[in-house]
């Protein structure tokens, strides 16, 4: 049987080498050769990731068949992916350097060099998901990743049902859900045999979420209701019942098998959150994770020191504002804790309260829109909506996250906020979170990138956490300082500084747990004592860092680089803020070293 992944890989490599050979007979068009190679890899990745095809609006035309599929989660597919990463790095090196490339081509080359080399390095780890993407981490399934976590929301919010074919494709994907879960269950067991088992608290949280999903009545599941609603609106009947039967007969048994796998691992699981002490090649794994997420070569010790320095600096700024408001008693953390618990700062916990909270955030997004042209020359066409994280996954989901519009602009961007407990979001902290996730943060940057026709498709669709998260954190300061949104709201400015404090604390606790021997509880205590988060939110955050080592460091490292570049440019005569922002954004998401080269010239 022919391995389709290897066939595609060989074809892509052959195309690159053929282009190099053609250069012997004709002048080399280096830009075209590089573009053809990178586009072929992007096309291959899309063909192997139907979810990405749908997310980007590419599951149409010749790729319409992808709309009825899910990605192959088997161990065989994962091993092919590892071999592919190594081979791509070989082919890329054979392409050569940047001779003959235009300036735009050199940027494409630099971006591809980082991505390809880092993925090949990640392929050296024989467990987890280490070659890239949003799921990069040591555990195939946890409270933040896995088919059980991603597929229901994906089917509910992204799968299109525009006709009978779309409804049938939904059922096909639902039929593929159980095999995805079972494939991941096999990998959970295989990794456990290599000594890779999540900490006990991650197993407990993940198992709890699996049970919550399995325990839902199938007709009440959001994805089933979504199909029934969309199909009925088209005059198509019976789809909800068919979906519910698939859930009961196929999906729930697969979820039960995955729950049993975790239950079998639980008695021997340990409480140690760090990866360097427990996992095979753990120290090298964490170093790789830091490079992947921050796109830098900073060590854990360096990142830890940066975090401690910035925590002290930001805390001093918060202290000054609190004292000016008459809040003088106790440490900064204690005073923030008091604010967090102030009834005047809290939303209620009823469904009606949560609906009102979401509505208030959507009004905030709309209110900022007319101010953006003051500081940006280019703005995206796509709108953005604030939505609630689906309750079925909110126990393990992050506090907020952004979902970009597809390349074809057929769906708006969406900012999801986790309302498991609204007390985690005191009112003075919410504006800054919204500026981060929507505009001028993630939505402005991602939507602009996807709408920039001068970028090749593979660049419009992809990105790097350090740039994306660094930009969103930097954008909070654009709202606070350049647009002066807190001019009459000193506590709102405290919320802004707390956001920066929170990201600086992340540098300390992530490296603390994974490189310096901190316990989970020590990390929680540090976050709470700093005032960065109340204890409930701090527990969720620390759980996240245990499952995704290094990811939380991307934010403040990315912000630090962008803010430093702005300070350098602002010191030059004739500094134009709109021009600076456009220059940062025009090339889309890039590794931080590439961004530094672009801005400094």
């Amino acid at each position: 049987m022919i391995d389709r992944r290897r066939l595609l890989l060989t074809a892509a490599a052959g195309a690159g080498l053929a282009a190099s050979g053609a250069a012997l007979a004709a002048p080399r068009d280096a830009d075209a050769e590089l573009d053809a190679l990178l586009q072929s890899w992007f096309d291959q990745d899309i063909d192997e990731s139907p979810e990405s095809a749908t997310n980007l609006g590419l599951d149409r035309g010749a790729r319409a068949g992808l709309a009825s599929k899910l990605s192959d989660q088997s161990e065989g597919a994962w091993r092919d992916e590892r071999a592919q990463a190594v081979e791509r790095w070989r082919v890329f090196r054979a392409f050569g350097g940047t001779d003959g490339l235009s300036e735009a081509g050199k940027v494409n080359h630099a971006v591809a060099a980082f991505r390809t080399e880092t993925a090949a390095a990640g392929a050296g780890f024989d467990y987890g998901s280490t070659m890239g993407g949003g799921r990069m981490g040591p555990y195939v399934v946890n409270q933040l990743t896995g088919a059980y976590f991603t597929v229901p929301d994906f089917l509910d919010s992204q799968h299109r049902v525009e006709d009978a074919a779309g409804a049938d494709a939904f059922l096909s994907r639902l039929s593929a859900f159980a095999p995805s879960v079972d494939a991941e269950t096999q990998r959970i067991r295989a990794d456990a045999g290599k000594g890779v088992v999540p900490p006990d608290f991650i197993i407990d949280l993940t198992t709890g979420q699996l049970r919550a999903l399995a325990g839902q009545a199938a007709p009440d599941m959001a994805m089933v209701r979504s199909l029934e609603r969309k199909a009925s609106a088209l005059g198509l009947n019976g789809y909800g019942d068919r979906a519910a039967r698939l859930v009961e007969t196929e999906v729930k048994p697969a979820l039960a098998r995955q729950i049993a796998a975790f239950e079998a691992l639980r008695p021997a699981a340990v409480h140690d959150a760090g990866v360097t002490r427990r996992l095979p090649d753990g120290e090298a794994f964490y170093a790789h994770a830091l490079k992947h997420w921050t796109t830098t070569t900073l060590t854990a010790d360096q990142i830890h020191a940066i975090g401690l320095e910035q925590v002290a600096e930001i805390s001093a700024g918060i202290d000054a504002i609190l004292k000016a408001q008459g809040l003088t008693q106790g440490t900064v953390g204690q005073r923030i804790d008091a604010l967090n618990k102030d009834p005047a700062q809290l939303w209620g916990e009823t469904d009606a309260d949560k609906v009102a909270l979401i509505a208030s955030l959507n009004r905030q997004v709309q209110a900022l829109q007319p101010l953006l042209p003051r500081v940006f020359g280019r703005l995206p066409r796509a709108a953005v909506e604030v939505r609630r994280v689906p309750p079925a996954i909110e126990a393990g989901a992050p506090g907020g996250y952004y979902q970009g519009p597809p390349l074809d602009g057929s769906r708006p961007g969406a900012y999801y906020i986790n309302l498991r407990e609204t007390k985690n979001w005191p009112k003075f902290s919410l504006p800054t979170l919204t500026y981060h996730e929507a505009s001028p943060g993630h939505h402005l940057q991602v939507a602009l990138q996807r709408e920039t026709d001068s970028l090749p498709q593979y660049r419009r669709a992809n990105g790097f956490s350090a740039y994306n998260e660094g930009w969103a954190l930097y954008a909070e300061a654009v709202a606070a300082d350049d647009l002066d949104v807190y001019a009459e709201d000193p506590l709102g400015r405290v919320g802004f500084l707390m956001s920066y404090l929170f990201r600086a604390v992340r540098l300390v606790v992530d490296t603390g747990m994974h490189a310096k021997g901190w316990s989970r509880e020590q990390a929680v205590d540090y976050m709470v004592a700093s005032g960065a988060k109340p204890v409930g939110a701090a527990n969720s955050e620390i759980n996240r860092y245990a499952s995704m080592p290094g990811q939380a460091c991307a934010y403040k490292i990315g912000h630090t680089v962008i803010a430093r570049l702005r300070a350098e440019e602002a010191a030059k005569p004739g500094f134009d803020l709109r021009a600076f922002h456009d220059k940062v954004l025009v090339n889309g998401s890039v590794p931080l070293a590439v961004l530094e080269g672009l801005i400094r010239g």
Side-chain angles (χ1 to χ4, degrees):
M1 180 177 179
I2 296 175
D3 186 322
R4 180 167 176 269
R5 284 172 176 259
R6 294 192 186 279
L7 183 62
L8 285 169
L9 177 60
T10 302
L17 294 176
S20 298
L24 298 176
R28 184 187 190 200
D29 185 344
D31 276 3
E33 291 174 24
L34 179 63
D35 194 65
L37 179 63
L38 299 182
Q39 184 65 43
S40 72
W41 288 349
F42 175 77
D43 289 339
Q44 181 181 353
D45 291 341
I46 291 297
D47 289 339
E48 297 295 340
S49 178
E51 297 91 338
S52 295
T54 296
N55 176 269
L56 295 169
L58 297 177
D59 57 347
R60 300 178 186 270
R63 288 196 173 107
L66 294 177
S68 61
K69 299 177 181 179
L70 297 176
S71 299
D72 185 351
Q73 302 297 340
S74 68
E75 181 165 351
W78 169 68
R79 293 200 177 280
D80 286 344
E81 184 183 7
R82 293 172 67 197
Q84 176 191 89
V86 173
E87 177 65 3
R88 283 184 177 180
W89 178 229
R90 185 194 69 77
V91 171
F92 186 81
R93 283 180 293 159
F95 175 87
T98 59
D99 289 349
L101 290 173
S102 66
E103 292 305 310
K106 290 176 182 177
V107 176
N108 293 337
H109 187 279
V111 170
F114 179 88
R115 187 183 300 280
T116 310
E117 181 180 15
T118 305
F125 297 96
D126 191 30
Y127 57 87
S129 301
T130 56
M131 284 151 286
R135 297 180 60 179
M136 191 272 173
Y139 314 119
V140 175
V141 177
N142 55 57
Q143 83 278 18
L144 296 169
T145 62
Y148 87 94
F149 185 89
T150 60
V151 171
D153 182 49
F154 169 75
L155 289 174
D156 177 29
S157 64
Q158 296 189 51
H159 181 95
R160 297 185 315 278
V161 179
E162 300 169 339
D163 50 26
D168 290 337
F170 188 109
L171 293 178
S172 295
R173 277 179 156 163
L174 194 55
S175 291
F177 187 5
S180 291
V181 173
D182 283 334
E184 290 179 337
T185 300
Q186 293 174 3
R187 290 186 59 196
I188 290 167
R189 294 192 177 106
D191 279 358
K194 304 167 190 172
V196 180
V197 177
D200 53 10
F201 58 92
I202 297 299
I203 291 180
D204 292 343
L205 185 53
T206 306
T207 306
Q209 292 184 175
L210 281 160
R211 290 194 183 106
L213 179 61
Q216 280 188 285
D220 294 336
M221 289 183 174
M223 60 181 176
V224 175
R225 294 200 310 269
S226 176
L227 176 61
E228 174 66 26
R229 182 179 66 255
K230 294 173 183 176
S232 295
L234 296 168
L236 305 171
N237 299 317
Y239 277 91
D241 291 339
R242 293 165 66 185
R245 284 195 295 272
L246 284 172
V247 169
E248 290 293 348
T249 60
E250 298 179 18
V251 175
K252 287 193 176 185
L255 294 173
R257 290 188 287 271
Q258 191 159 103
I259 290 169
F262 276 118
E263 287 176 337
L265 296 179
R266 179 61 175 83
V270 299
H271 195 66
D272 187 355
V275 297
T276 57
R277 300 177 297 276
R278 292 189 302 107
L279 301 188
D281 298 318
E283 187 173 346
F285 179 94
Y286 188 53
H288 170 72
L290 290 176
K291 180 179 180 180
H292 167 84
W293 289 116
T294 71
T295 66
T296 73
T297 56
L298 291 169
T299 66
D301 285 344
Q302 289 171 321
I303 291 173
H304 193 82
I306 291 169
L308 290 172
E309 179 182 354
Q310 294 196 8
V311 166
E313 178 184 342
I314 299 165
S315 295
I318 295 173
D319 181 43
I321 297 176
L322 293 176
K323 285 178 177 176
Q325 297 301 304
L327 301 172
T328 60
Q329 299 302 310
T331 65
V332 167
Q334 289 168 338
R335 282 174 279 166
I336 291 296
D337 186 56
L339 269 179
N340 288 336
K341 296 175 180 176
D342 182 352
Q345 294 293 334
L346 299 180
W347 286 87
E349 296 287 356
T350 69
D351 286 341
D353 291 322
K354 294 175 182 181
V355 168
L357 190 159
I358 295 292
S360 75
L361 298 185
N362 276 302
R363 288 194 299 271
Q364 178 189 331
V365 170
Q366 294 303 314
L368 188 73
Q369 198 67 23
L371 306 182
L372 296 176
R374 297 182 190 174
V375 291
F376 296 102
R378 298 168 61 239
L379 294 173
R381 297 185 297 273
V384 61
E385 299 173 359
V386 185
R387 303 171 184 169
R388 182 180 176 182
V389 169
I393 62 170
E394 63 187 7
Y401 55 88
Y402 171 75
Q403 180 186 97
L407 292 173
D408 63 5
S410 60
R411 186 179 64 246
Y415 146 40
Y416 288 86
I417 182 170
N418 192 328
L419 299 184
R420 180 181 72 256
E421 293 182 291
T422 61
K423 67 182 180 182
N424 288 332
W425 301 118
K427 293 178 180 178
F428 69 94
S429 71
L430 277 170
T432 289
L433 178 67
T434 305
Y435 298 135
H436 179 104
E437 299 290 347
S439 288
H442 283 315
H443 177 68
L444 186 146
Q445 181 263 310
V446 173
L448 265 181
Q449 175 174 310
R450 293 190 173 180
E451 294 171 4
T452 300
D453 293 336
S454 61
L455 292 176
Q457 187 182 56
Y458 54 85
R459 293 279 314 287
R460 291 167 58 206
N462 292 322
F464 298 88
S465 282
Y467 175 99
N468 289 32
E469 298 297 351
W471 170 265
L473 199 53
Y474 166 80
E476 296 175 18
V478 172
D481 297 330
D482 299 319
L483 298 177
D484 207 14
V485 295
Y486 304 118
E488 299 178 4
D489 183 12
L491 290 185
R493 186 164 186 85
V494 169
F496 156 63
L497 290 176
M498 280 180 57
S499 172
Y500 276 27
L501 176 65
F502 170 44
R503 273 42 177 246
V505 165
R506 280 176 161 177
L507 301 181
V508 178
V509 296
D510 194 287
T511 54
M513 282 195 300
H514 295 299
K516 292 186 174 296
W518 286 25
S519 68
R520 176 191 177 280
E521 286 68 30
Q522 186 178 354
V524 171
D525 289 346
Y526 181 89
M527 180 169 281
V528 172
S530 72
K533 286 290 177 182
V535 64
N539 274 290
S540 294
E541 288 294 330
I542 298 306
N543 292 341
R544 170 182 171 181
Y545 314 154
S547 293
M548 299 179 71
Q551 190 271 344
C553 297
Y555 298 69
K556 204 64 176 69
I557 296 301
H559 163 258
T560 299
V561 169
I562 295 173
R564 183 173 66 237
L565 290 170
R566 172 170 167 169
E568 291 174 4
E569 294 299 300
K572 299 176 182 177
F575 173 69
D576 184 322
L577 182 58
R578 283 161 50 103
F580 171 75
H581 287 158
D582 288 349
K583 191 173 182 179
V584 171
L585 294 166
V586 70
N587 283 288
S589 184
V590 296
L592 294 178
V594 176
L595 178 65
E596 289 177 315
L598 289 168
I599 300 301
R600 290 171 177 157

